[in-house]
Amino acid sequence: MRAFVAALCAVAVLLPAPASAWGFYAHQKTAQIAEANVSPAARAEIRRLMRSEALIGTPECDLSTIEDASVWPDCIRRSFWRWGYTASWHYRTTPICEAYNPRANCSGGNCVTAQIERNHRILADESLPDHVRLQALAFMVHFAGDIHMPLHSGDKDDRGGNDRETDYGIVPGLNLHWIWDGPLAERAISDPADPVVRRYTRVERSELSGGEAADWGRESWEISRDFIYPTAFDTENVCGTELPRETALTQDDIVRGVPIAKRRVQQAGLRIADLLESAFAPGPLPEPQR
């Protein structure tokens, strides 16, 4: 009986919680990686902006640390009457069987790539009030995490895998999106022997960081096209066949996905660090090239 109860508890832990893009745990890890890899001056500026938290007016959603900032945009979505318009800012999916277009599905700047760029520029604008810049910091940190979750960028007519019921090993009844949002990401970044939160070397940062939001979205789309869908449905011909609405990830599938998920969390954290450093550098940001 004790074994049966333990198994039920394990299943319960993996069942979907209220919607949160790229689970709170993964988002907080990206923020911790960023904080560990920015300069002391940038950390001091983050703490200074946090002192304006009360002016934002979200007492139900803390915004006093960079970890808070990484999940704040998901927390505020509970107040739909005030923040519902931000829902489309968390993703920008491109069908994996079509050519990648970094400007599609982003009408009026209402997508994750545009909002990373927009909030980066707001954060860098020293003429704006601190609480406006703090809100931009939270959006930027969170969305730079979101864009690294592959199924926020690639899908096959299934809302980024949300409509594909998928077993996670012995755990039934999840969906493909939720697995990459939650349990797979958490497994990937929970190895105490190889912690993701640390100071990275110059060589590691050169290899893991770089690029712009559109590049990060393309990377995620490619992972969805080349690994997630072929692995989940045991076919290399994902674009030439109708995929079933139900599938399962085997233990081998999960093991092969772990290093991919881990790398995306590391990349997100280091790229957030770069965004913060450039936003806090003296002077305005360069004008974007269009």
Side-chain angles (χ1 to χ4, degrees):
M1 177 60 71
R2 284 196 298 270
F4 177 71
V5 172
L8 285 180
C9 291
V11 171
V13 167
L14 293 172
L15 290 177
S20 62
W22 212 13
F24 276 26
Y25 184 68
H27 271 299
Q28 289 174 331
K29 288 297 182 183
T30 66
Q32 291 166 5
I33 292 168
E35 188 170 41
N37 287 277
V38 294
S39 64
R43 282 195 291 272
E45 185 65 4
I46 292 167
R47 289 194 295 271
R48 189 188 70 78
L49 291 178
M50 295 293 178
R51 293 200 288 269
S52 66
E53 174 190 14
L55 295 176
I56 292 179
T58 56
E60 71 284 6
C61 297
D62 291 338
L63 190 47
S64 58
T65 68
I66 194 168
E67 290 92 343
D68 292 340
S70 72
V71 297
W72 180 83
D74 277 339
C75 181
I76 61 170
R77 290 170 69 185
R78 300 168 188 164
S79 299
F80 184 81
W81 60 270
R82 182 179 176 191
W83 298 103
Y85 67 93
T86 67
S88 62
W89 294 1
H90 294 251
Y91 61 91
R92 193 197 68 80
T93 52
T94 296
I96 59 171
C97 298
E98 298 178 9
Y100 182 78
N101 181 348
R103 291 184 172 82
N105 303 328
C106 195
S107 177
N110 288 298
C111 74
V112 67
T113 47
Q115 289 302 319
I116 292 170
E117 295 171 356
R118 171 179 173 269
N119 284 286
H120 184 215
R121 300 193 75 82
I122 293 172
L123 175 61
D125 189 342
E126 297 176 358
S127 71
L128 296 174
D130 284 352
H131 70 283
V132 174
R133 297 178 69 201
L134 174 58
Q135 179 175 299
L137 183 151
F139 279 132
M140 184 193 77
V141 168
H142 180 86
F143 296 148
D146 275 347
I147 202 170
H148 284 80
M149 204 291 268
L151 290 170
H152 282 236
S153 292
D155 81 340
K156 193 172 190 291
D157 192 30
D158 56 10
R159 299 187 305 123
N162 275 291
D163 297 334
R164 306 282 182 182
E165 183 175 324
T166 307
D167 295 348
Y168 180 70
I170 65 170
V171 182
L174 305 184
N175 68 61
L176 190 59
H177 188 105
W178 170 253
I179 288 170
W180 277 82
D181 247 359
L184 183 57
E186 291 174 15
R187 175 170 173 171
I189 56 180
S190 298
D191 182 0
D194 188 17
V196 294
V197 179
R198 58 181 172 81
R199 185 78 178 179
Y200 286 74
T201 68
R202 187 185 301 273
V203 171
E204 287 175 316
R205 291 189 66 158
S206 176
E207 197 271 326
L208 290 167
S209 60
E212 299 178 346
D215 303 314
W216 311 337
R218 181 187 294 274
E219 292 168 353
S220 286
W221 174 80
E222 289 174 345
I223 292 168
S224 299
R225 181 195 63 188
D226 299 340
F227 180 81
I228 294 179
Y229 282 93
T231 300
F233 296 96
D234 296 318
T235 178
E236 295 298 323
N237 188 30
V238 292
C239 294
T241 185
E242 184 70 24
L243 299 179
R245 288 292 161 177
E246 298 181 9
T247 189
L249 295 185
T250 66
Q251 181 62 22
D252 181 63
D253 294 336
I254 295 165
V255 168
R256 290 195 297 126
V258 161
I260 295 172
K262 182 174 185 176
R263 180 181 175 87
R264 294 309 277 166
V265 171
Q266 292 173 306
Q267 288 178 311
L270 293 174
R271 287 162 170 172
I272 290 168
D274 290 342
L275 289 170
L276 290 167
E277 289 288 1
S278 62
F280 294 138
L285 291 175
E287 286 300 315
Q289 295 181 352
R290 300 298 183 193

